[in-house]
């Protein structure tokens, strides 16, 4: 994959993070602290000092190692958030997980579904992965709308799955495999052919919010 080749649709661009992005990303995270805190991964071992410069270095090392692909989401050329493909598994599994955050001032502009679609198409195409997964807290209605729009299939409830905002949190799991979208995720969504119903959560798995 060419790290210098961005993927775009309309005003939304997805590109590999650069070390010089650290300052802007740090500023966005600080400015959006209240907006993002309920969804931020934390450490069960206690608070840790966060430095975006070292964070970007770590993400780029994972990219070089082949275990992740760290993206920046831009809107009309301005950094709007991050999307990370992590937990890349090769061989017989050939899968990965997508996580993301977007600044509050860019919410509602279709940046996240566009970026998730672009990233999934890239992973199915250039990276030759077979399965892409998104895990979402039941309380995160905005992210649940993303997987509905794109037609990700609901696959189950994971109890106390990820440490978020200071506690182990339950997550719903959604996924697509390459055979689900031979035309591509972005194209299927843009053409109105995604099926939101496949993301429906069965009554037995619905948690009180």
């Amino acid at each position: 994959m060419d790290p210098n080749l961005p993927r775009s649709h309309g005003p939304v661009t997805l590109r590999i993070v650069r070390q010089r992005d650290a300052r802007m990303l740090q500023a966005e995270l600080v400015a959006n602290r209240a907006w993002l805190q309920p969804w931020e991964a934390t450490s069960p071992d206690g608070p840790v000092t966060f430095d975006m410069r070292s964070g970007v270095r770590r993400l780029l090392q994972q990219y070089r190692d082949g275990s992740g692909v760290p993206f920046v989401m831009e809107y009309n050329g301005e950094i709007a958030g991050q999307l990370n493909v992590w937990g890349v598994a090769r061989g017989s599994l050939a899968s990965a997980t997508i996580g993301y955050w977007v600044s509050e001032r860019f919410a509602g502009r279709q940046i996240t579904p566009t970026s998730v679609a672009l990233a999934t198409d890239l992973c199915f195409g250039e990276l030759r992965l077979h399965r892409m997964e998104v895990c979402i807290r039941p309380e995160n209605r905005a992210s649940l709308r993303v997987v509905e729009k794109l037609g990700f299939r609901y696959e189950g409830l994971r109890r106390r799955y990820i440490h978020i905002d200071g506690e182990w949190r339950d997550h719903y799991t959604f996924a697509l495999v390459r055979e689900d979208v031979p035309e591509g995720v972005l194209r299927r969504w843009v053409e109105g052919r995604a099926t939101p119903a496949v993301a429906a959560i069965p009554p037995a798995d619905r948690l009180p919010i």
Side-chain angles (χ1 to χ4, degrees):
M1 187 181 76
D2 182 355
N4 298 311
L5 181 63
R7 278 75 183 172
S8 299
H9 177 73
V12 178
T13 296
L14 196 66
R15 63 168 175 81
I16 298 294
V17 70
R18 305 166 185 146
Q19 192 62 55
R20 63 177 177 269
D21 295 325
R23 179 181 294 180
M24 180 61 71
L25 289 169
Q26 182 98 23
E28 288 294 323
L29 288 170
V30 170
N32 286 268
R33 182 63 179 158
W35 166 257
L36 296 173
Q37 186 172 353
W39 323 115
E40 284 182 347
T42 48
S43 171
D45 298 323
V48 295
T49 301
F50 182 74
D51 176 7
M52 199 64 207
R53 288 174 298 179
S54 61
V56 170
R57 283 196 296 270
R58 185 165 54 250
L59 289 171
L60 289 173
Q61 184 60 55
Q62 292 170 359
Y63 177 54
R64 289 188 289 269
D65 293 341
S67 61
V69 189
F71 292 105
V72 161
M73 298 185 287
E74 293 182 335
Y75 187 82
N76 285 329
E78 189 174 358
I79 289 178
Q82 278 185 279
L83 183 149
N84 292 319
V85 175
W86 59 275
V88 175
R90 294 291 183 176
S92 57
L93 192 55
S95 70
T97 299
I98 290 176
Y100 49 80
W101 63 264
V102 66
S103 297
E104 185 175 14
R105 63 197 176 99
F106 289 103
R109 303 190 192 187
Q110 305 292 347
I111 296 169
T112 302
T114 302
S115 297
V116 171
L118 287 168
T120 303
D121 286 344
L122 184 151
C123 288
F124 284 160
E126 293 182 47
L127 298 187
R128 304 300 298 166
L129 297 180
H130 180 251
R131 181 179 183 276
M132 298 300 295
E133 177 178 281
V134 180
C135 297
I136 301 171
R137 285 187 60 184
E139 301 88 348
N140 195 339
R141 296 185 185 277
S143 280
L144 291 174
R145 288 194 295 272
V146 169
V147 291
E148 289 172 2
K149 290 175 182 178
L150 299 180
F152 273 70
R153 179 179 52 256
Y154 177 72
E155 292 202 337
L157 171 63
R158 294 184 180 179
R159 293 283 189 178
R160 299 173 64 81
Y161 177 53
I162 304 176
H163 202 269
I164 301 285
D165 192 25
E167 298 287 345
W168 292 105
R169 309 289 183 175
D170 298 334
H171 281 68
Y172 294 138
T173 303
F174 303 84
L176 283 174
V177 296
R178 195 189 308 164
E179 293 87 347
D180 292 331
V181 282
E183 71 275 54
V185 182
L186 181 66
R187 180 177 175 184
R188 185 178 71 167
W189 175 46
V190 168
E191 294 180 354
R193 292 186 289 107
T195 307
V198 300
I201 299 157
D205 283 358
R206 291 177 190 159
L207 298 176
I209 298 174

